[in-house]
Amino acid sequence: MSPALSPLEVLLIQVGSRTFGLPLAAVRYVARVAPDFRCSGEAREDYFVFEDEPLPFVSLWDRLGLPSAYAEYDSLQAMLPQRRQDHLDWMAALEHSLRTGAAFAKARSPYDCAFGKWFYAYRPDDRRLGLLLAQFEQPHALIHGLADRLLALAENGQQTAALAEFEAARASTLATLLQLFDSASQLLTELQRRIAVILGNGATARALGADAVRDIVQIPAGRCKTGQAGGPTAGLILLDDGTPVPLIDWPAL
C-alpha cells in the first residue's frame, strides 16, 4: 500500500482581481513595498532590496498581464492634484472678475466643475476613503457658491465688501478644501499596500510583486495538479469551495 501524499501548503496572493498560489515551503518572507517603488510598467525596478541584498524583482502584474488592484488609486492620485489646482485657478479667476469687472467663465455649480462631475459619481469601496471624501462636499459647495453672491455684490457697487468676503473665504473655506485634497492624496498612498514575496535562496532567490496576501491553505494531494501548465504557471490547486487557483512557476520567472 503506497503512503498517502502530504498536503501542499500554499500561500494565496492577489494580483489584480485574481488569486494565485505559491508553495509556502519556498516563501521566505512577505515584505511591504514602499509607495515610491516602481512596481510595473517600463520604469519598473529591476531589484528589490531585502535584508541588504538586492534580489531580482519580478512584477507579476506585467508577467501575468493584469492591472494592479490599486490601479484605481494610482489614477486618483494623478487626478487629485489637478483638481486641487483647478480650484486655485477658479478662485484666481473670481478675484480677477471682482477687481476688474471681467466676465467670469468658470463653473458656478459644484456639480459642473471637473471635480464635481467625478465626486458626485464616485463611490469608493474603502471606508476610510469614503469618510474623507464626504468631507469635501460642504467646502466645495461653499466655494462655488461664492461666484453668484460676490459678483452680484460687485455689480451693485459693493466691490469692497465682495473682496473682503472673498479674502475671508480664501483663508478659511479654500484652505480647508486644499487640505482635504492633500489628505486624500496621502491616504491613497497609505491604502496602496503592495507586497514583495521573497522566495528561494542564493541564485534562485527573487522577489515577486503582488497586491496582497489572501490566505495560507492546505491543499490535499488529490486537489493538486502540478506540472508545467504553460506560461508563468505550473499547475492548479482546487480550494475547498472548488475554486481553481493557478500555481505560479516562480523558479521559471
Side-chain angles (χ1 to χ4, degrees), residues 186-229:
Q186 181 178 349
L187 178 58
L188 287 168
T189 297
E190 295 174 7
L191 291 176
Q192 298 183 57
R193 300 178 179 274
R194 294 180 176 93
I195 59 169
V197 184
I198 313 302
L199 300 106
N201 290 281
T204 67
R206 64 207 62 201
L208 272 56
D211 285 312
V213 168
R214 296 290 302 274
D215 203 354
I216 294 175
V217 295
Q218 283 196 341
I219 306 298
R223 299 211 309 263
C224 300
K225 298 181 180 180
T226 57
Q228 185 62 38

Side-chain angles (χ1 to χ4, degrees), residues 40-45 62:
S40 61
E42 293 182 359
R44 69 179 175 272
E45 307 278 359
D62 292 349

Side-chain angles (χ1 to χ4, degrees), residues 58-91:
V58 179
S59 169
L60 289 180
W61 304 281
D62 292 349
R63 291 302 301 270
L64 299 171
L66 294 170
S68 168
Y70 301 113
E72 178 183 348
Y73 293 163
D74 289 336
S75 176
L76 292 186
Q77 279 190 305
M79 178 270 287
L80 287 176
Q82 299 171 16
R83 302 291 79 88
R84 184 186 193 276
Q85 184 60 47
D86 286 349
H87 288 83
L88 287 169
D89 295 342
W90 191 97
M91 289 290 281

Side-chain angles (χ1 to χ4, degrees), residues 218-220 222-225 236-245:
Q218 283 196 341
I219 306 298
R223 299 211 309 263
C224 300
K225 298 181 180 180
L236 289 171
I237 58 172
L238 293 178
L239 303 183
D240 289 344
D241 63 1
T243 301
V245 172

